[in-house]
Amino acid sequence: MKLKTQLLLASVMVALVSPVAVFAQPMAKGVWLAPSAGAAKTPPMGWNSWNAFRTEVDEDKVMGAAQALVDEGLAKKGYIYVNLDDGWWQKRRQSDGRMIIRTRIFPSAATPDGTTSFRGFTDRLHGMGLKAGLYTDVGHNACSQAFDLHSPNLPEGTAEERQVGLAGHVSQDINLYFSDWGFDYIKVDACGLADFAPGSQLVKDNGYIGLEPEIERASINRTDSARVEARYAEVAAALKQANPDNDYVFSICNWGMANVREWGKDVGSSWRTSSDITPNWTSMLHNYDSAAKRALYAGPGHWNDPDILYIGAGDFDTDHLTEARTHFTLWAMMSSPLLISYDLRKAPQSLLDIWGNADLIAVDQDPAGNQAIIAYDSDDAQILVKTMADGHKVVALFNRTASPVKVSLLASHLKLKGDAAITLTDLWSKTASTFTGETGFDLAPHETRVFSVQGARELAEGVYLSEIPGAINVVDDGVKTPEADPSIHRMIDPWAGTRSSGSRPQYAGWGGAQADTTPYGQTLQIGGQSFDSGIGVLGNSLLQVKNEAGYRSFRALVGVDASTPLRDRAVTFAVYGDGKLLARTPPLKFGDAPREITADLSGHKVIELLATHDSTADERPVVVTWGAARLLK
Ligand code: GLA
């Protein structure tokens, strides 16, 4: 249970005698809390059956994809997970609860006694130097049982036999899938918690056993986020137990619901940030937006997942290579999982060249795990900047629109010096160019240009925290009441079309911690001073920074941000090193000038930044700014 969701007993007792419920303030932890379980030190790469085949998947199709990954050299480039999505199951055997595989489409899974096993299948993949992934649901039923009712591959039998999800069988299934069958990766969906309401038409028509929804897609307030988190945490614990070698990936797939933006990193290797991608430009925008401003929540071992790639279909097919390259570039910039979902047995060279762009794969797979920061933001064009482990930058200039757009790239977008030469190397064409200060581009409709950058750092003797989001763990972002993020592109719902009054903001996350902007997307500003670099967060927050590089000091200019909705709180900023208080400001108020805070980090590995103030449970948030927050040599 998170501190912030928990009213301390004492606070509750105070509330009994006074009308004001005091909110618990976070405290320094002294140890690095970002979990290290699982094998996804870099974003998982591979292939997934869903966008290519939906439930009409079979063994030949999957093995064909696996063979192509090897033959086309994609496996060597990192695409090693071969993930079987929905459609593989026949039923849950009632005598012992064991899951039975549909051997009609996976013939190698047949055993003489009908027990069925994927061991032969995973052995073959492992023999090819690949890894194997499987799909399940955290509830009793899976998504195809709600959304692919025409499918020939739906679970069969009684209502109980058709309960193929993990609920009630977590350890049994996880042990079967990992210890017995030898899988390395699991995607855990959540339709079972959302779509099988007792008494609903779906449940009545199909004779399912209903489950009172714990996820209400249209309402974060009616979603039981703590319950959903607890269900996924139970899966995480079973995975840990079944995989003493730590070689597993846990892909959470609850489509950005239940406030997973906040807890996904503590539970899984990756978590979906939105609903399913479709092969449409606006769907790609929607899924991209759902992850693009969550950089501080991702890092080595835990990744935002805007969904599998749709390169090769619809707006991203061979007639739309500009769009296909943009899709791939954006996913790489965001350190997203790269999962091809195309019938690779017949992939044209033009698409293989996109998935196989080694320079962009290296951007995605950079070990520092710094998801790109948005250095220039608008609904028309964006400039994304990613800092690589060796300190150099990669920049992407993204035209979101169907018209040409002019973009000026400034040295300051890159946090590079404006009076020294900057070299750009195009990661698609490989051509190089040089500029000083500022340069311009004409982006074609939907085009993204992406460059590796060499130049002189603005901050030669250190690094801004906003350059190293992968080294930051947001323990507590101060969000008390989850709010839907209104900044995500609202596409026309591909399933409902315009048969509703509108496409609404639906993913909680508004107000989360941000690099170089406030939690609500404003310029960082304290008193009258604004900051290009810094961390924007709400009050009563705790951020951890991993100081593996051994920086000697921390400096920032801190205060209550000029955009704060609540103005009358005094905020204390404190810096801890491995649990020891290193520096603290006096209480600072709205309107106060920025206050310098410096801390001697000598030898400290885990730096913690706390901003705390008195608060009641239901008041509006206080926005605070760690201006120009930086680590210095
Ligand atoms: C959900 C998931 C998809 C896919 C399907 C399978 O919609 O989000 O990625 O796994 O279920 O039915």
Side-chain angles (χ1 to χ4, degrees):
M1 249 288 143
K2 297 261 162 60
L3 262 182
K4 75 171 135 211
T5 52
Q6 200 182 42
L7 283 176
L8 283 182
L9 191 57
S11 320
V12 175
M13 288 165 69
V14 171
L16 293 177
V17 289
S18 89
V20 181
V22 177
F23 206 72
Q25 295 181 358
M27 292 187 302
K29 308 292 182 204
V31 287
W32 182 247
L33 288 181
S36 55
K41 295 288 167 256
T42 61
M45 291 176 66
W47 180 87
N48 174 295
S49 57
W50 185 250
N51 288 348
F53 301 117
R54 293 190 74 95
T55 60
E56 273 83 290
V57 62
D58 65 35
E59 192 158 356
D60 282 349
K61 291 172 177 167
V62 181
M63 292 312 296
Q67 195 59 51
L69 287 179
V70 174
D71 293 347
E72 301 293 351
L74 291 168
K76 254 203 202 106
K77 289 181 170 172
Y79 291 94
I80 55 165
Y81 288 96
V82 174
N83 297 342
L84 183 49
D85 210 281
D86 205 344
W88 63 267
W89 30 37
Q90 179 93 25
K91 65 176 177 194
R92 185 180 293 284
R93 187 164 72 188
Q94 291 306 293
S95 55
D96 57 358
R98 183 180 170 106
M99 284 297 301
I100 303 296
I101 300 159
R102 188 180 299 276
T103 52
R104 187 175 56 73
I105 52 175
F106 287 96
S108 79
T111 56
D113 62 357
T115 302
T116 73
S117 169
F118 267 131
R119 182 49 95 162
F121 172 78
T122 63
D123 278 351
R124 267 189 295 155
L125 291 174
H126 290 145
M128 297 163 77
L130 300 168
K131 289 184 180 273
L134 195 63
Y135 169 89
T136 185
D137 194 284
V138 75
H140 291 293
N141 294 97
C143 292
S144 59
Q145 294 178 296
F147 299 109
D148 283 70
L149 293 172
H150 64 279
S151 167
N153 295 325
L154 291 179
E156 290 169 7
T158 64
E160 288 80 7
E161 285 174 320
R162 285 179 289 140
Q163 291 199 320
V164 293
L166 293 175
H169 297 273
V170 172
S171 323
Q172 179 183 16
D173 286 1
I174 295 298
N175 282 333
L176 178 66
Y177 302 162
F178 285 82
S179 310
D180 292 5
W181 290 352
F183 281 97
D184 312 285
Y185 177 116
I186 194 143
K187 169 174 169 180
V188 184
D189 219 325
C191 288
L193 304 184
D195 300 306
F196 296 85
S200 64
Q201 205 59 45
L202 175 75
V203 165
K204 274 200 250 166
D205 288 353
N206 296 281
Y208 294 131
I209 300 165
L211 178 79
E212 209 49 69
E214 294 168 13
I215 295 177
E216 162 72 75
R217 283 188 179 80
S219 172
I220 181 67
N221 287 344
R222 282 166 40 80
T223 292
D224 189 346
S225 299
R227 178 84 183 110
V228 177
E229 178 182 354
R231 283 187 184 268
Y232 277 101
E234 187 189 349
V235 180
L239 282 165
K240 218 173 192 173
Q241 209 157 36
N243 291 282
D245 63 356
N246 203 34
D247 188 5
Y248 67 96
V249 172
F250 179 17
S251 158
I252 296 174
C253 179
N254 72 330
W255 343 284
M257 298 289 148
N259 206 20
V260 66
R261 179 244 0 158
E262 184 202 63
W263 54 262
K265 69 186 172 63
D266 301 321
V267 177
S269 317
S270 66
W271 54 96
R272 282 273 300 279
T273 52
S274 63
S275 61
D276 295 5
I277 192 167
T278 65
N280 300 295
W281 179 256
T282 59
S283 165
M284 194 280 295
L285 280 183
H286 172 90
N287 282 42
Y288 156 78
D289 281 347
S290 70
K293 294 176 184 172
R294 307 279 172 83
L296 289 173
Y297 296 84
H302 50 277
W303 310 102
N304 286 308
D305 175 8
D307 207 357
I308 47 187
L309 299 166
Y310 231 134
I311 289 168
D315 290 350
F316 311 101
D317 68 8
T318 45
D319 292 331
H320 298 88
L321 293 176
T322 297
E323 285 78 2
R325 280 192 287 265
T326 286
H327 182 4
F328 193 71
T329 303
L330 294 175
W331 262 233
M333 291 298 286
M334 291 193 294
S335 313
S336 303
L338 295 179
L339 295 166
I340 300 168
S341 196
Y342 187 85
D343 186 351
L344 284 181
R345 296 170 303 178
K346 43 183 190 208
Q349 193 58 43
S350 57
L351 298 180
L352 291 167
D353 289 345
I354 293 179
W355 298 311
N357 183 325
D359 288 331
L360 277 168
I361 292 170
V363 170
D364 181 77
Q365 295 289 302
D366 184 71
N370 294 321
Q371 180 177 328
I373 297 304
I374 298 186
Y376 172 81
D377 193 18
S378 74
D379 290 334
D380 294 339
Q382 287 171 314
I383 300 179
L384 287 78
V385 179
K386 175 167 174 140
T387 305
M388 303 286 278
D390 68 1
H392 89 269
K393 307 275 180 180
V394 177
V395 63
L397 315 174
F398 171 31
N399 179 1
R400 300 168 62 100
T401 77
S403 309
V405 161
K406 281 195 185 305
V407 169
S408 301
L409 175 66
L410 276 58
S412 58
H413 288 138
L414 302 162
K415 301 191 197 301
L416 296 180
K417 286 191 174 141
D419 55 2
I422 294 175
T423 302
L424 301 177
T425 306
D426 189 310
L427 295 185
W428 288 109
S429 73
K430 320 297 179 192
T431 54
S433 58
T434 301
F435 75 99
T436 306
E438 176 177 338
T439 183
F441 296 89
D442 291 305
L443 299 183
H446 295 169
E447 187 184 27
T448 300
R449 302 286 305 270
V450 60
F451 305 97
S452 173
V453 186
Q454 297 293 341
R457 294 176 55 76
E458 224 171 58
L459 190 63
E461 72 283 12
V463 66
Y464 290 113
L465 292 191
S466 58
E467 295 181 280
I468 51 164
I472 294 177
N473 178 34
V474 182
V475 178
D476 193 336
D477 57 22
V479 176
K480 291 183 210 162
T481 309
E483 276 185 83
D485 184 344
S487 72
I488 295 166
H489 180 83
R490 291 174 294 134
M491 61 176 170
I492 296 175
D493 184 321
W495 297 276
T498 59
R499 286 180 291 275
S500 73
S501 53
S503 169
R504 311 296 188 193
Q506 54 180 336
Y507 311 116
W510 193 227
Q514 292 289 351
D516 294 348
T517 94
T518 75
Y520 303 113
Q522 302 292 323
T523 299
L524 298 170
Q525 194 182 334
I526 305 168
Q529 187 176 339
S530 30
F531 298 89
D532 290 337
S533 294
I535 302 292
V537 66
L538 300 184
N540 284 332
S541 54
L542 169 60
L543 308 174
Q544 296 190 322
V545 185
K546 205 175 205 173
N547 185 23
E548 262 179 349
Y551 287 105
R552 296 232 186 96
S553 68
F554 170 84
R555 292 175 95 93
L557 288 157
V558 297
V560 175
D561 193 89
S563 68
T564 190
L566 185 67
R567 294 186 186 185
D568 66 353
R569 300 291 151 154
V571 179
T572 302
F573 294 78
V575 181
Y576 287 77
D578 300 319
K580 186 171 159 238
L581 179 67
L582 303 179
R584 177 158 57 195
T585 67
L588 302 173
K589 290 197 140 165
F590 173 78
D592 286 353
R595 177 90 179 199
E596 171 121 57
I597 183 167
T598 64
D600 177 355
L601 304 181
S602 49
H604 292 301
K605 291 274 181 287
V606 180
I607 313 308
E608 291 182 283
L609 308 180
L610 267 160
T612 53
H613 57 85
D614 291 342
S615 174
T616 60
D618 54 0
E619 69 188 15
R620 305 180 76 198
V622 178
V623 173
V624 304
T625 285
W626 295 83
R630 57 212 188 271
L631 299 170
L632 300 169
K633 286 176 191 155

